[in-house]
Amino acid sequence: IGYDVPRAIADLVDNSIAAGATEVEITLQFEGDQSWIRVADNGSGMDGETLLEAMRYGSDRDYDANDLGKFGFGMKTASTSQCRRVTVASRRAAQNRRFEGRCLDLGHIEETNKWEVLVLEGAERGAHLLEPLQNHPGTVVLWEDLDRILDYNDPWGSWAERRMFSLAEEIDEHLAMVFHRFLAGEVRGQRLRISVNGSKVRAWDPYCRDEPRAEELPAKDLRVAGSERFGFVRVRPFVLPPQAEFSNPTAWNRASGPAKWNRQQGLYIYRSNRLIQAGGGWNRLRTVDEHTKPARVAIDFFPDLDAAFGINIAKAFARPPTDL
């Protein structure tokens, strides 16, 4: 349904933001067929009942108007799209030393023919699961049995090891784009710090607003029909300077983005300040062109227009509505 590893990790970060986290630590550990990936936050945490419900597909919960979640599938679907065993540990309060642990194990489901969530107690909860929660409340999501990621004949081989290292770079680049407003402190009351294998993720601003020669054109608020009522979409166009007018070559190279200049032009679509579509074209309004490669347009909408923009579970695709 559209997940790759960076998008799946981003879906877990959405949950961390919704839980009020200010720090999210992502760790990729290569240990052959015992390799694991962990996402740990310092959010509000969950009690046992809430955690059990969170592990259920299509979980029953209410979403705030600006919540980054949507369907109640994100954590489970994102995780099991990449691994066969996902374990979640959570601690509700700083003064409470109790940890709640739950696990979805696809191997267990196949063996028992029962779609059940395992409750983990004592020794079943490994050190690398609980270690991030020793000093504060929060939640840890641990991926093990990485069958979709390390699908090599030799999981201990150099190809598998290099894959884990390259994944760390891909995750860093993707999160720097998707959450750049949160990382830069542009979202009121939601300053966020993310690290990947101990390295701080730096916000990647698609519009290079710290460059003196970058140009911001006037914004427009446009009225668009939603499924139940009209909503407003804010459109903010930017034109980046040519290479010779950037402050330095390093800034120009970083501005090119992961897909590089021609493929980073176009529409940048945000849902509740979270980037859904990171450039990559004009959504069939025009073709990608060498002459328009400095043009990038920020389009902002909120969840009341989800249906109009065709948002899917992975939050990896948006289709601007005909009205817009």
Side-chain angles (χ1 to χ4, degrees):
I1 58 172
Y3 282 114
D4 55 17
V5 177
R7 287 190 174 96
I9 294 288
D11 217 329
L12 301 186
V13 176
D14 287 342
N15 291 339
S16 297
I17 293 172
T22 58
E23 293 195 13
V24 179
E25 298 178 353
I26 298 150
T27 306
L28 294 83
Q29 181 69 36
F30 180 75
E31 296 178 1
D33 56 4
Q34 301 298 310
S35 298
W36 49 267
I37 296 176
R38 182 179 71 193
V39 178
D41 69 40
N42 66 344
S44 57
M46 293 175 277
D47 57 28
E49 183 179 347
T50 305
L51 177 53
L52 183 63
E53 181 64 22
M55 298 292 281
R56 188 170 70 85
Y57 277 78
S59 55
D60 183 19
R61 57 162 290 193
D62 295 324
Y63 290 99
D64 294 334
N66 296 333
D67 205 320
L68 298 182
K70 178 171 174 60
F71 296 102
F73 280 85
M75 180 176 68
K76 292 81 63 177
T77 311
S79 298
T80 54
S81 73
Q82 307 301 321
C83 71
R84 291 182 58 80
R85 179 180 172 89
V86 54
T87 307
V88 182
S90 200
R91 179 181 174 188
R92 183 69 176 153
Q95 63 272 21
N96 185 353
R97 298 295 298 176
R98 178 172 176 78
F99 299 91
E100 297 291 345
R102 302 291 186 273
C103 176
L104 269 176
D105 189 325
L106 301 189
H108 171 81
I109 292 168
E110 288 176 356
E111 289 177 7
T112 63
N113 200 29
K114 294 180 180 179
W115 195 267
E116 59 186 353
V117 176
L118 304 177
V119 179
L120 302 184
E121 299 287 353
E124 295 177 301
R125 302 177 298 186
H128 51 277
L129 178 66
L130 299 184
E131 181 269 331
L133 300 178
Q134 294 300 320
N135 299 316
H136 57 73
T139 299
V140 174
V141 180
L142 179 68
W143 294 352
E144 299 171 291
D145 196 356
L146 307 174
D147 64 323
R148 299 299 180 90
I149 297 172
L150 298 181
D151 56 346
Y152 297 94
N153 292 330
D154 179 10
W156 289 92
S158 58
W159 282 101
E161 186 173 13
R162 283 198 292 272
R163 175 60 176 150
M164 287 290 278
F165 283 119
S166 67
L167 266 181
E169 295 179 3
E170 292 171 23
I171 292 168
D172 187 304
E173 283 189 334
H174 186 71
L175 300 184
M177 284 196 306
V178 169
F179 299 105
H180 76 87
R181 291 181 177 175
F182 295 88
L183 293 166
E186 296 179 32
V187 181
R188 182 179 298 176
Q190 289 188 301
R191 184 65 182 257
L192 183 66
R193 181 184 182 276
I194 303 176
S195 65
V196 177
N197 281 356
S199 177
K200 181 181 177 181
V201 175
R202 293 171 52 212
W204 183 76
D205 178 10
Y207 320 109
C208 302
R209 286 166 291 176
D210 56 350
E211 286 293 320
R213 302 302 297 272
E215 182 180 2
E216 180 175 356
L217 282 70
K220 294 182 179 180
D221 290 328
L222 304 178
R223 192 168 180 256
V224 172
S227 56
E228 298 180 0
R229 58 182 180 273
F230 284 93
F232 284 91
V233 175
R234 170 155 287 198
V235 180
R236 298 169 62 199
F238 298 83
V239 180
L240 278 59
Q243 182 176 359
E245 295 181 10
F246 262 83
S247 55
N248 58 71
T250 301
W252 182 81
N253 281 324
R254 180 166 167 77
S256 69
K260 305 310 174 189
W261 278 103
N262 260 3
R263 295 294 169 185
Q264 291 289 173
Q265 68 181 274
L267 307 183
Y268 286 70
I269 302 176
Y270 297 80
R271 175 184 183 268
S272 296
N273 287 302
R274 189 252 207 224
L275 190 57
I276 299 291
Q277 175 176 299
W282 297 95
N283 292 75
R284 302 181 70 181
L285 296 174
R286 59 168 298 129
T287 58
V288 170
D289 186 89
E290 173 70 18
H291 299 91
T292 53
K293 71 180 183 183
R296 297 175 180 177
V297 182
I299 296 179
D300 276 88
F301 74 96
F302 287 89
D304 56 343
L305 290 177
D306 277 352
F309 276 85
I311 298 302
N312 69 351
I313 291 174
K315 297 191 288 290
F317 170 81
R319 180 188 64 247
T322 304
D323 280 5
L324 184 60

